[in-house]
Amino acid sequence: MNNALKKSQGIFNKYIGFFFVAVMMLWLKTYIAQLTQFDLGISNTLQKILLFFNPLGSAILFLGFATLFKGRKKYIFLLIFDFLLSFLLYANILYYRFFNDFITLPTLTQTQNFGDVSGSIVPLLEPYDFLFFIDIFVLIALLAFRKVKMEEKNMSRPKVAALFSFALAISFANLSLAETDRPQLLTRGFDRNYIVKYLGMYNYTIYDAVKSTKASAQRVMASSDDITDVKNFTNSNYAEPNPKYFGAAKGMNVIYIHLESMQNFLINYKLNGEEVTPFLNSLTHDKNTLYFDNFFHQTAQGKTSDAEFMLENSLYGLPQGSAFVTKGMNTYQAAPAILGQNGYTSAVFHGNSGSFWNRNEIYKSFGYDKFFDENSYQLTPESLAEYGLKDKPFFEQSIPLLESLPQPFMAKFITVSHHFPYSMPQEEATIARHTTGDKSVDNYFQTARYADEALKQFFDYLKESGLYDNSMIIMYGDHYGISENHNKAMAKVLEKEITPFESAGLQRVPLFIHVPGIEGGVNHEYAGQIDILPTMLHLLGIDTKEYVHFGTDILSENHDELIPFRNGDFVSPTITAVGGKFYDSVTGMPLEEDQIEEAKQLQDRVENILALSDNVVNGDLLRFYTPKGFTPVDRSKYNYNVSESPTKE
C-alpha cells in the first residue's frame, strides 16, 4: 500500500500528472458552467453525453500548448492558458446573462462600446462567480506550498505528439457523434447555441474564428458575378405596391422613432389595473395610424445597430458581431441616400456618443446629411440615463435641431431611457414596479412608462407645430427588452408558461405607421424589420423594384409573411420554427408528421435568404450594382465632427 501511495505521489509530482489535474478541473468546471449558466436546450441522452465530454478534448488541446515550453516555463504557461480559458468562459457567461448569446470574434472589435456598457455589468454579477476561477487558485497553491514539485525534465516529442493526437481524436469523435444528432452542424451553423451544445465553448471559439476569418476574406474574393444570384432572388421576391397606399405619403416628411427595448406585450398591458403605455395604446385606435401586432425584431449580436441596419437597407445584420462596426466602409443604397436623391434632407438625433456602434462612420456610407450626437445637446448629470440623454430632455432639446432642417426631411430619433438595466430615479417614476422578484423585469415597466410619456410630449409638439399633419411617423421596437434568461419572471407577468413557442412570440415588437389621410387600424400581417424600408418607400411613391431589398412591402397583397430570425429560426402565420423544432403558429402545438416536409422547405428557404444577404454584406456586393437612377454615395461629402446645435453658443 505504501508503494502504491509513493507511486501515485510520484506521478503527481511529474509534470504530466499536474497537467492532467489542471485538465480535469477545467473540464469539470466548464461542464458545470455549460450545464447551469447557458440554456442550451438539452433534449436527449446523446446531447447530455456530448455536453459532458465536449470540454475534454479542447481542454487537453489548449492546455497542451504549455508542454511546448521548457523547464519551469511549462508550469507558468499552463497557468496562463488555464486562466485565459477560464476568462473566456466567464466572459461568455456574463455576455450570455445580458444578451442570451455567445461572444464572437467581431464583437471583440466593438471595444469603443465597452465604456458605455460598463454600468450594465454590475447587475449581471453573482456571488458565486469566483468559483469559475477556483481551479487556478488551487493549482497556484499546489505549487506555492510545494505540494507539487516542479519537474525540470521536458516532455519528449513523441509524448507531446501523442497528447495532441489524443486531444484531436476526442474532438473528432465528439464532432462525429454530434453530426449524427444534428447533420450539417458546421455548414448550417446560424445558431451559436447548437455549436456550444454539441462541441463545447472552446471548440465553438475555434469555429467562430474560422467563420469570422472566412467572412472577412469574402470581400477580397467577391466579383461582379456574385450579385447575379442576389438580384435574381430580390427580383423574384419583389412585392408590387398596393395602389391603395402607394404614394399616400408622397412629399411628406419622414420621422422614425426608435423604441429602445420595447416589446409588444407592453401594448395594452395593465399592471395592477393601470396601463403601462397609455399613449402607445391610444395610437392603436388612431384613425390615421396603422398598428402591426405581428411585427418581429430580427436582430442578432448587433442588437440596436442591427435594427438600424435593416431599417436603412433591408439587408439582414450579420450572424456574428455588428455590421455597423465591421462593415462601415461598405457600399450601401440606404434610405437617406435614396430620399436625398428625391429632394430630402436627412438627419439622426441621438443623445449619446457618436462613435457608439460606429455610427459616425457608417452613417456617412448611408448618406445621412447630419448626425446630431451628444455634442449637439446640453448634458447634465440629472439629465443622463445609462446610455445617454433621457428621453424627455432628448426630445425637448431635439426640437430646435429638427426645426433647423429644410423640409421635406427624413429624421430618425434614437431613444435610450428604456434600456437594460431599466433603472431610473424613483421620484421620476409614475407607475409602480412589478412584483416578480426579478429586478430587471420589475423595473422594465417603470422605464417603459417614462418612454411612453416622453413620446406623448413629442407628439404634442408635432401637433402644435403643424408637422404632425405633414409627416409620416414610423415607430418601431428595436429588439427584445427581457431575454429568455428571465422566462421564470415573464411567466408571472404573462400568467402562462413561457415555452419555446411562446418565447418566439415574445420577439414581437411594436410597429406604428402614421400617415395623414390613410385609414388606420390594427394590421395582423406577419412582418419583420427587414420589411420597413420597402414599405416606407412605397408609401412615399418610390418604387423599390430596382433595389436589392430582402424585405417586402407589408401593405402589398404579395407581401412575404415568412419572417426569418438571424439564428435560422422563423415565424409565419402557419408554422413557427424554434431550435430545430416546428410548431403550429395558431395552436403552439408541435407539427404533425405530415406537416414536417413543408416546414423543412421553409427552413431551407430561410437559410438561403440569410446566406444571400450575408454574401451581399460580407462581399460588399452593392459596389458591383447601381440601381437605375441612383447615384452612389460619396462618403467624403459628409462631416459630423462639428457641433451643429443651435442651442449652443
Side-chain angles (χ1 to χ4, degrees):
M1 184 173 177
N2 287 335
N3 288 336
L5 182 60
K6 288 180 180 178
K7 189 174 181 180
S8 65
Q9 288 177 335
I11 293 173
F12 190 66
N13 282 324
K14 290 183 180 295
Y15 177 76
I16 193 66
F18 185 72
F19 172 83
F20 275 107
V21 168
V23 167
M24 289 289 290
M25 288 194 291
L26 180 63
W27 172 22
L28 293 175
K29 174 179 71 178
T30 305
Y31 165 68
I32 292 169
Q34 291 179 170
L35 183 66
T36 62
Q37 301 300 304
F38 308 132
D39 183 13
L40 298 176
I42 305 299
S43 59
N44 59 45
T45 302
L46 178 58
Q47 291 178 8
K48 291 177 182 177
I49 293 171
L50 288 172
L51 187 72
F52 178 69
F53 280 106
N54 63 37
L56 178 58
S58 47
I60 296 173
L61 179 65
F62 285 114
L63 294 184
F65 285 107
T67 63
L68 302 177
F69 294 89
K70 297 179 180 180
R72 297 192 171 199
K73 285 184 179 180
K74 57 181 176 285
Y75 289 89
I76 296 171
F77 278 95
L78 180 65
L79 293 173
I80 291 172
F81 293 146
D82 198 352
F83 173 78
L84 292 175
L85 292 169
S86 299
F87 182 80
L88 175 66
L89 177 66
Y90 184 60
N92 272 282
I93 289 169
L94 288 181
Y95 192 85
Y96 193 89
R97 288 173 184 170
F98 188 91
F99 292 109
N100 204 51
D101 201 351
F102 301 98
I103 295 172
T104 63
L105 195 60
T107 61
L108 298 178
T109 66
Q110 295 159 201
T111 53
Q112 70 266 42
N113 292 358
F114 289 174
D116 298 81
V117 302
S118 58
S120 298
I121 293 177
V122 175
L124 303 175
L125 302 178
E126 297 289 350
Y128 58 79
D129 284 356
F130 75 94
L131 293 174
F132 295 114
F133 297 91
I134 194 69
D135 57 322
I136 298 171
F137 293 114
V138 170
L139 293 174
I140 292 173
L142 288 173
L143 294 175
F145 294 105
R146 301 185 182 277
K147 298 295 183 181
V148 171
K149 296 178 182 178
M150 289 193 183
E151 183 184 26
E152 295 287 349
K153 184 180 177 182
N154 301 322
M155 285 184 66
S156 65
R157 288 184 179 181
K159 287 183 178 179
V160 172
L163 188 69
F164 281 111
S165 298
F166 180 53
L168 292 172
I170 293 173
S171 295
F172 281 121
N174 185 165
L175 177 59
S176 299
L177 284 172
E179 285 278 353
T180 63
D181 196 60
R182 176 68 176 176
Q184 297 177 294
L185 174 65
L186 298 183
T187 55
R188 301 175 70 177
F190 286 118
D191 193 341
R192 284 175 286 278
N193 204 67
Y194 285 138
I195 305 299
V196 175
K197 175 167 67 175
Y198 287 109
L199 303 184
M201 176 56 63
Y202 308 122
N203 286 329
Y204 156 74
T205 303
I206 298 174
Y207 166 83
D208 169 63
V210 172
K211 287 274 289 186
S212 299
T213 303
K214 183 179 178 182
S216 298
Q218 268 187 266
R219 189 182 191 281
V220 178
M221 305 298 291
S223 72
S224 56
D225 295 335
D226 297 324
I227 195 67
T228 303
D229 287 343
V230 174
K231 200 68 185 76
N232 288 339
F233 169 79
T234 56
N235 285 343
S236 65
N237 200 48
Y238 169 75
E240 293 277 353
N242 187 330
K244 179 181 176 182
Y245 294 103
F246 188 72
K250 189 174 181 63
M252 293 184 184
N253 301 310
V254 178
I255 298 175
Y256 277 115
I257 302 178
H258 182 103
L259 304 177
E260 174 63 43
S261 303
M262 192 74 72
Q263 286 178 249
N264 201 59
F265 77 84
L266 285 170
I267 305 302
N268 294 320
Y269 182 87
K270 290 185 178 181
L271 178 58
N272 299 322
E274 188 176 356
E275 289 181 297
V276 178
T277 56
F279 175 67
L280 288 177
N281 296 349
S282 71
L283 292 180
T284 66
H285 308 292
D286 185 83
K287 66 177 183 178
N288 298 134
T289 300
L290 289 165
Y291 162 59
F292 299 83
D293 62 355
N294 283 315
F295 180 75
F296 293 81
H297 86 86
Q298 296 167 285
T299 66
Q301 289 188 325
K303 291 296 183 288
T304 293
S305 69
D306 279 358
E308 286 192 73
F309 192 73
M310 284 182 277
L311 177 86
E312 310 292 13
N313 301 285
S314 196
L315 296 170
Y316 289 94
L318 294 174
Q320 297 156 299
S322 166
F324 259 49
V325 175
T326 60
K327 307 297 178 183
M329 303 299 287
N330 273 16
T331 297
Y332 296 103
Q333 293 145 16
I338 296 171
L339 295 191
Q341 294 173 31
N342 283 271
Y344 280 71
T345 302
S346 55
V348 181
F349 302 77
H350 185 41
N352 196 4
S353 168
S355 63
F356 196 80
W357 288 125
N358 196 40
R359 287 187 173 101
N360 56 2
E361 288 300 329
I362 200 167
Y363 282 166
K364 297 174 185 176
S365 299
F366 290 170
Y368 268 111
D369 296 314
K370 298 178 184 294
F371 178 24
F372 299 107
D373 67 359
E374 66 181 7
N375 293 314
S376 298
Y377 294 88
Q378 300 285 357
L379 307 179
T380 60
E382 60 273 12
S383 70
L384 291 176
E386 193 78 46
Y387 291 86
L389 194 60
K390 293 177 184 176
D391 292 359
K392 289 180 182 179
F394 166 63
F395 282 122
E396 183 181 347
Q397 292 187 42
S398 294
I399 289 172
L401 302 175
L402 181 64
E403 291 175 343
S404 73
L405 300 179
Q407 298 187 46
F409 56 71
M410 172 190 170
K412 180 169 66 176
F413 295 86
I414 303 174
T415 62
V416 301
S417 290
H418 187 47
H419 195 294
F420 181 89
Y422 311 112
S423 57
M424 65 178 298
Q426 286 307 290
E427 61 269 20
E428 295 184 34
T430 57
I431 192 171
R433 296 185 179 100
H434 213 299
T435 55
T436 68
D438 183 317
K439 187 176 180 181
S440 294
V441 174
D442 293 348
N443 289 346
Y444 184 77
F445 297 87
Q446 290 191 328
T447 51
R449 165 63 72 81
Y450 176 88
D452 186 75
E453 292 170 346
L455 287 170
K456 183 182 184 304
Q457 291 178 13
F458 185 56
F459 267 65
D460 288 344
Y461 154 73
L462 293 175
K463 291 175 181 178
E464 291 166 6
S465 67
L467 287 174
Y468 188 77
D469 296 324
N470 190 37
S471 298
M472 170 165 54
I473 305 170
I474 301 176
M475 297 193 293
Y476 64 98
D478 64 340
H479 54 72
Y480 63 76
I482 306 298
S483 75
E484 293 176 3
N485 297 326
H486 303 274
N487 278 353
K488 186 179 293 186
M490 284 302 295
K492 297 178 182 178
V493 170
L494 301 178
E495 299 182 340
K496 61 182 176 181
E497 181 187 359
I498 308 300
T499 63
F501 172 78
E502 292 291 344
S503 187
L506 281 172
Q507 305 317 303
R508 288 179 173 89
V509 293
L511 174 64
F512 295 90
I513 300 179
H514 165 81
V515 179
I518 71 165
E519 182 182 346
V522 180
N523 186 303
H524 303 301
E525 197 85 359
Y526 272 60
Q529 292 165 330
I530 201 76
D531 300 315
I532 293 180
L533 178 57
T535 306
M536 181 270 287
L537 291 176
H538 284 177
L539 282 165
L540 291 177
I542 301 171
D543 201 323
T544 62
K545 190 174 182 64
E546 294 295 318
Y547 290 93
V548 173
H549 290 164
F550 282 84
T552 56
D553 180 354
I554 308 171
L555 301 172
S556 168
E557 293 182 0
N558 299 317
H559 167 63
D560 187 358
E561 291 191 272
L562 176 65
I563 313 302
F565 293 137
R566 187 57 266 194
N567 64 356
D569 291 345
F570 64 84
V571 294
S572 76
T574 56
I575 297 173
T576 294
V578 186
K581 296 180 179 179
F582 303 110
Y583 302 87
D584 184 305
S585 293
V586 178
T587 66
M589 299 299 292
L591 289 189
E592 300 293 335
E593 198 62 37
D594 59 350
Q595 299 172 294
I596 295 296
E597 188 56 38
E598 179 189 355
K600 288 183 176 178
Q601 290 175 4
L602 290 178
Q603 185 77 73
D604 290 341
R605 186 159 172 258
V606 163
E607 292 178 0
N608 180 56
I609 290 169
L610 294 173
L612 286 172
S613 178
D614 288 348
N615 289 345
V616 174
V617 180
N618 286 322
D620 192 13
L621 297 186
L622 293 182
R623 61 191 157 129
F624 301 123
Y625 171 74
T626 302
K628 190 182 301 182
F630 181 81
T631 303
V633 172
D634 181 357
R635 284 175 46 86
S636 66
K637 293 183 177 180
Y638 304 95
N639 177 23
Y640 309 134
N641 294 327
V642 294
S643 172
E644 302 180 78
S645 170
T647 64
K648 287 192 174 183
E649 297 181 1

